[in-house]
Amino acid sequence: MRATALFIVLSATTFFASPSQAQDAAAGEKVFTKCKVCHVADQDQNRIGPSLNGVIGRVAGTHPGFTYSAAMIAAGKSGVKWDEPTLTTYLHAPQSMVKGTKMTFPGLKDDKDIANVIAYLKQFSK
């Protein structure tokens, strides 16, 4: 049941993600200040949350040295991989996509902010 619900959520990403959405990494860095309390992107360092260095393409719940919630580990085992559409859905509402995640951040509501944060993260995911 959980895997089916997760598949439905991930399938809905086409409604949120717009490949033609212009991305601005500098603007994304400004939005990322909301994330810096828990995450680092420019170096491989875990904090309250896992390092986001190299997050694009990573399977959910797999960064070494970070203790993930059972829900995030299960998401990774069910096939969740952090690509643009999946990150877009997750950043809109983390707790809705992965029920039981330890991430308490309520999400970003502006699609442009999300696209820009993803552009910022891409710089550190090569």
Side-chain angles (χ1 to χ4, degrees), residues 35-97:
C35 313
K36 282 186 174 184
V37 171
C38 298
H39 297 282
V40 174
D42 61 348
Q43 47 186 304
D44 191 9
Q45 175 186 3
N46 293 325
R47 287 192 176 168
I48 294 169
S51 172
L52 298 181
N53 187 275
V55 71
I56 306 293
R58 183 188 304 158
V59 173
T62 62
H63 190 270
F66 187 77
T67 305
Y68 288 93
S69 64
M72 188 60 74
I73 293 169
K77 287 181 179 178
S78 74
V80 174
K81 192 174 202 178
W82 298 122
D83 57 17
E84 288 186 56
T86 305
L87 279 169
T88 299
T89 300
Y90 186 71
L91 291 174
H92 265 286
Q95 294 85 8
S96 293
M97 184 177 151

Side-chain angles (χ1 to χ4, degrees), residues 7-21:
F7 174 77
I8 291 168
V9 169
L10 292 176
S11 297
T13 61
T14 57
F15 294 106
F16 294 113
S18 172
S20 62
Q21 176 93 26

